[in-house]
Amino acid sequence: MPTVRGMKLTHHGHSCIELSVADATVLFDPGTFSSFDDVAGLDAIVVTHQHPDHLDPDRLDALREANPDAAWFADPQTAEHLRDKGLDVTATKAGETFSVKGARFEGVGATHAEIHPYIERISNVGIVASGDGEPRLFHPGDSLEGRPENVDYLCLPLVAPWSAVRETIAFVRAVEPKHVIPIHDKVAADRARGIYLGHVRDYGLDGGVEVIEVPEGESAGLS
């Protein structure tokens, strides 16, 4: 009996998403603002960069124990840190691809967005995920420099200390996704979040862009 496939995204808060693509289940950016303690049975864990809101060091051991067979992938600097903790990690790089159980992943970009000229920039590698007959989804981490083509779903950092809404809008216009899924929003008050979301929805593309809200703890099928 053939495997029934279909991309599904579960939002665990902030930038942490669980993605079912092809025959793989993959967790992205399990950070301090996210709820992933009950996540198990993963095939892979992907980290875009080392900041705690994308990789919670205090819950790393528990995540490893719950997912002992998961393959780990991370940007070069984070990969080095995780290897020091005894993990077997594959470093991701822009333009390089890897696969997990029929799912394909491509690295995009190399550097975290600038927070301030006096703060050293760290590595950040976004990821485009896809599978045969499934859409292309882009998780950029904390960077707006990568502009992959033919993106169906853009997981968009909605609010961040390193961005202005004009930059967010320009990023959406450059990528030209068919749909936007807001992430990286725990740094905004609930009442203020709608302001940023409205700007993206109204100005992200000429005529607007479709925004798909996936609240924390909920899932959405992507086609």
Side-chain angles (χ1 to χ4, degrees):
M1 184 176 182
T3 301
V4 177
R5 297 184 178 183
M7 184 177 282
K8 183 178 79 169
L9 181 147
T10 301
H11 195 184
H12 293 291
H14 201 55
S15 289
C16 183
I17 64 168
E18 180 181 342
L19 193 65
S20 296
V21 52
D23 293 322
T25 302
V26 183
L27 189 71
F28 289 78
D29 284 6
T32 52
F33 295 157
S34 306
S35 303
F36 56 88
D37 294 335
D38 296 329
V39 175
L42 296 171
D43 297 300
I45 297 166
V46 177
V47 182
T48 61
H49 66 286
Q50 64 188 272
H51 284 159
D53 60 323
H54 295 256
L55 179 63
D56 186 347
D58 293 333
R59 289 188 284 172
L60 178 60
D61 289 341
L63 183 61
R64 293 171 63 180
E65 291 174 6
N67 298 276
D69 297 324
W72 285 75
F73 302 87
D75 65 282
Q77 289 179 351
T78 304
E80 184 176 349
H81 295 325
L82 292 175
R83 289 179 189 133
D84 289 341
K85 296 180 179 295
L87 272 169
D88 182 11
V89 186
T90 299
T92 55
K93 297 180 181 179
E96 293 189 0
T97 61
F98 59 94
S99 61
V100 180
K101 298 181 72 172
R104 295 185 299 275
F105 303 90
E106 179 180 351
V108 177
T111 311
H112 191 287
E114 183 179 75
I115 301 172
H116 190 279
Y118 294 146
I119 299 176
E120 183 178 357
R121 296 174 71 180
I122 60 173
S123 66
N124 180 109
V125 180
I127 297 291
V128 174
S130 62
D132 289 343
E134 297 184 1
R136 284 167 54 85
L137 179 141
F138 178 34
H139 189 312
D142 279 7
S143 176
L144 305 181
E145 70 179 19
R147 310 293 171 85
E149 297 180 347
N150 302 316
V151 171
D152 297 297
Y153 294 91
L154 169 62
C155 292
L156 178 68
L158 188 63
V159 187
W162 43 265
S163 71
V165 70
R166 64 178 178 273
E167 297 169 336
T168 308
I169 291 170
F171 179 60
V172 175
R173 284 180 166 266
V175 176
E176 295 185 304
K178 294 179 181 177
H179 316 276
V180 162
I181 300 173
I183 61 170
H184 204 288
D185 52 2
K186 282 295 185 76
V187 294
D190 290 342
R191 295 179 64 183
R193 181 178 181 278
I195 297 173
Y196 295 89
L197 195 59
H199 286 318
V200 169
R201 179 184 289 116
D202 295 341
Y203 307 116
L205 292 174
D206 292 337
V209 61
E210 181 181 11
V211 173
I212 298 176
E213 289 268 35
V214 185
E216 183 173 346
E218 297 188 15
S219 302
L222 309 180
S223 58

